Amino acid sequence: MAGAGKDAPERPAAEEEEYRLSVCGKLCYAIGGAPNQVAGSAAAFFLQIYLLDIAHITPFHASLVLFIGKASGAVTDPVAGFFISKSKWTKIGRLMPWMLACTPFTVVSYFFMWYLPPFVSGRVAWYLTFYCLFQALTTLFQVPYTALTMFLSTDQKERDSATAYRMTMEVLGTLIGAALQGQIVASAHLSHHCTMNPPLNTTSPTDSWHDSPSFPEPSDSLSHQAKVYMIAAGVIGGVYLLGIIILFLGVKEKDDPYALNSDRAIPFCKGLGLTMKHGPYVKLTASFLLISTAVQLEQSNFVLFCTHAADLRNHFQYLVVTILVSAAVSIPFWQKFLQRFGKKCAACGISWMIPFAVMLVTIPNLILAYFVAFVSGLSIAASLLLPWSMLPDVVDNFRLQNPHGKGQETIFYSSYVFFTKMSAGIGLGISAASLEFTGYKPGICRQSNDVILTLKILIGAVPAVLILVGLFILLFYPITEESRKETKLALEVLRRSHQSTENLDDHREDTSV
């Protein structure tokens, strides 16, 4: 392989310029994906507590909404991958039309996902319908958007740089979503009489304050709580429209820069089978589906934990912002770290949140809570950046082993999102069902000790186990920095030798004519 690298001709300056991406292009690409994270962040942190305490549906029904919604998005992933892989090239690209077409419908479904209908009996069906629709539509955006990384440049450094820009902006989008949602809807989760209650260690279930609802009856669809959630949904819907406009105007999609003229598209089913047998992909996916499930559990239960288990109901929105600011500012650090020490080594940062989360569960102190939020942000940033930085390397490795097939990029990305969404859906469903089993009661100031213990387990023990198992699997991930560079050189040799053969064939044809 080293010999092949020496024989490879140097890349011409004009070709270097073609592979290089401008800062403006990377920013526009990154901004395009931010709205999905804005909306996803708002849903991750607040949808569960909205369903329980504003819509007043039972924890069991909330678990059904969360699980089936995530599952519908997961099922859409391979379907989207199939149809996108069959798409033909248009004047604006092969992936861009999908993103443009689904955005308006995504905005509408997102708004109605936070709308409190005037009827009560059919609310579960209402939220299930629009959450499933929202998840499916975001998938139709996310699959072509993430696959677009492979069609910006064939240079690994440029792709990694574009991925770092994207993850920085997506974390900022997550921050903006949580901050907007948290600040707008904070008043919906504050109650004067809750703050005047007896201290946290009072546990008598017979006290009148224990069973008194802190929120108005859900029959009033124009209540203050419902209004602030709809305002937040409208603002985030506007962010969606702005993001897609910037993406469309600022990003130029290339027509499969990897494919050779003699390459043939791999049939979807065959490509899916080859993908599932590709060792590096299986190990990467297995590792990060566990890690992403842990992060999802942290996000979905954090507000509930602060409100009911840590006596931090007046600080949860600031703690959420602390987590996301820490994640946003640390993305450049992790990008430099993985360039210097390697991507597998950078994965160690994901484990940082474990001891601090356990400390927060055992010692719910305000100062400690902010420190835990800061460290958790560092770990979340690493867990977000690494899989999307490593996935293009897996695709290159697959391309080297299957040199004359094309069109498998969307299969890799859609399958990865499918597994992570499905695992997160199962985790969230079990999480909400656990609250139902332990007796969670919507709208009361003080939950039972069983509910509090469940929230502590969901915040501390379960994510810790999932992260440790995921990192253990990642130890067997075979692509190192050295093999990644060798793959890059081998692919360049393959393309150049094929181009030389085609030029020779063209010359022979011209001579015969």
Side-chain angles (χ1 to χ4, degrees):
M1 196 66 73
K6 293 177 182 178
D7 296 337
E10 293 186 2
R11 185 180 291 173
E15 194 172 332
E16 283 278 1
E17 190 66 28
E18 180 185 354
Y19 289 127
R20 189 174 295 116
L21 299 173
S22 67
V23 173
C24 180
K26 294 175 186 177
L27 280 174
C28 290
Y29 170 64
I31 291 172
N36 248 5
Q37 302 306 313
V38 173
S41 171
F45 281 106
F46 292 95
L47 183 58
Q48 182 166 266
I49 197 171
Y50 170 82
L51 294 175
L52 295 174
D53 288 353
I54 306 300
H56 286 203
I57 67 175
T58 67
F60 174 73
H61 287 136
S63 70
L64 287 180
V65 171
L66 294 173
F67 170 70
I68 297 176
K70 283 286 186 181
S72 68
V75 170
T76 308
D77 284 300
V79 176
F82 173 78
F83 284 107
I84 292 170
S85 66
K86 300 293 183 181
S87 300
K88 295 183 179 180
W89 179 263
T90 67
K91 291 183 179 180
I92 59 173
R94 185 164 63 94
L95 304 176
M96 189 67 72
W98 287 88
M99 293 180 276
L100 288 173
C102 70
T103 297
F105 299 101
T106 305
V107 173
V108 173
S109 64
Y110 181 79
F111 178 81
F112 283 110
M113 191 176 79
W114 299 98
Y115 174 72
L116 188 66
F119 49 84
V120 177
S121 59
R123 282 186 180 170
V124 175
W126 175 278
Y127 291 114
L128 183 60
T129 299
F130 284 105
Y131 188 51
C132 288
L133 187 60
F134 172 72
Q135 287 292 333
L137 289 168
T138 53
T139 294
L140 289 177
F141 180 94
Q142 193 70 11
V143 170
Y145 175 75
T146 52
L148 186 60
T149 308
M150 303 297 296
F151 298 93
L152 297 176
S153 173
T154 57
D155 188 273
Q156 290 178 344
K157 289 185 178 179
E158 291 298 312
R159 287 196 320 239
D160 286 347
S161 178
T163 300
Y165 272 81
R166 174 167 75 89
M167 297 316 302
T168 301
M169 197 58 65
E170 286 190 357
V171 173
L172 286 174
T174 305
L175 168 62
I176 292 170
L180 276 176
Q181 189 87 358
Q183 292 300 320
I184 294 174
V185 309
S187 59
H189 299 286
L190 296 178
S191 177
H192 178 70
H193 85 271
C194 280
T195 60
M196 300 300 292
N197 281 337
L200 190 63
N201 58 7
T202 303
T203 59
S204 173
T206 60
D207 291 342
S208 61
W209 61 270
H210 181 86
D211 293 321
S212 60
S214 60
F215 308 114
E217 288 301 314
S219 58
D220 182 9
S221 62
L222 298 179
S223 66
H224 170 71
Q225 286 79 10
K227 285 181 179 179
V228 294
Y229 268 97
M230 284 189 288
I231 291 171
V235 171
I236 291 176
V239 174
Y240 255 111
L241 298 177
L242 179 63
I244 192 63
I245 291 172
I246 293 175
L247 178 68
F248 174 70
L249 296 178
V251 174
K252 182 180 180 181
E253 178 186 347
K254 296 181 180 179
D255 186 9
D256 199 351
Y258 292 85
L260 308 175
N261 291 339
S262 63
D263 289 351
R264 295 182 178 180
I266 299 176
F268 182 83
C269 292
K270 181 181 178 181
L272 185 60
L274 292 172
T275 299
M276 294 301 104
K277 296 176 182 177
H278 193 58
Y281 180 72
V282 172
K283 293 180 176 65
L284 178 70
T285 303
S287 172
F288 278 98
L289 70 83
L290 294 174
I291 293 170
S292 64
T293 301
V295 174
Q296 284 279 344
L297 285 173
E298 290 274 357
Q299 287 182 326
S300 63
N301 290 288
F302 187 76
V303 176
L304 283 170
F305 173 81
C306 291
T307 302
H308 299 299
D311 200 24
L312 297 171
R313 67 169 64 240
N314 295 327
H315 297 273
F316 72 81
Q317 67 267 37
Y318 305 113
L319 290 168
V320 169
V321 169
T322 302
I323 292 173
L324 299 174
V325 168
S326 171
V329 299
S330 62
I331 287 285
F333 161 77
W334 286 118
Q335 175 65 12
K336 295 291 184 183
F337 188 97
L338 64 87
Q339 288 178 345
R340 178 76 179 272
F341 300 102
K343 297 177 182 179
K344 286 181 67 174
C345 185
C348 66
I350 301 174
S351 63
W352 292 356
M353 73 168 70
I354 295 175
F356 296 100
V358 173
M359 288 173 62
L360 178 62
V361 167
T362 55
I363 313 171
N365 177 272
L366 179 60
I367 297 176
L368 178 62
Y370 277 99
F371 186 70
V372 170
F374 174 77
V375 176
S376 296
L378 298 178
S379 296
I380 289 172
S383 70
L384 291 174
L385 176 63
L386 282 173
W388 296 113
S389 179
M390 299 166 84
L391 195 55
D393 301 336
V394 173
V395 177
D396 276 351
N397 183 271
F398 180 86
R399 173 74 84 165
L400 185 62
Q401 296 182 19
N402 301 270
H404 295 290
K406 64 179 180 178
Q408 78 281 355
E409 291 84 7
T410 53
I411 299 176
F412 273 97
Y413 281 85
S414 62
S415 299
Y416 176 79
V417 178
F418 167 79
F419 287 116
T420 53
K421 279 187 178 180
M422 184 61 75
S423 64
I426 294 172
L428 293 176
I430 294 174
S431 168
S434 300
L435 295 176
E436 167 83 7
F437 179 76
T438 52
Y440 182 91
K441 295 182 180 180
I444 65 173
C445 299
R446 176 79 165 90
Q447 298 291 338
S448 68
N449 287 338
D450 289 341
V451 172
I452 292 173
L453 177 61
T454 300
L455 288 171
K456 289 181 177 181
I457 293 173
L458 293 173
I459 285 290
V462 176
V465 172
L466 292 174
I467 289 172
L468 290 175
V469 176
L471 292 176
F472 177 76
I473 295 173
L474 196 63
L475 290 175
F476 302 97
Y477 176 72
I479 298 179
T480 63
E481 292 303 301
E482 292 74 19
S483 66
R484 188 170 70 92
K485 293 175 182 178
E486 291 175 354
T487 299
K488 175 184 176 181
L489 289 173
L491 286 174
E492 288 182 355
V493 170
L494 180 66
R495 294 186 188 109
R496 293 185 183 283
S497 62
H498 187 273
Q499 289 172 358
S500 301
T501 304
E502 286 183 338
N503 292 335
L504 182 59
D505 291 341
D506 292 340
H507 179 70
R508 288 174 178 172
E509 288 180 3
D510 292 340
T511 304
S512 63
V513 171

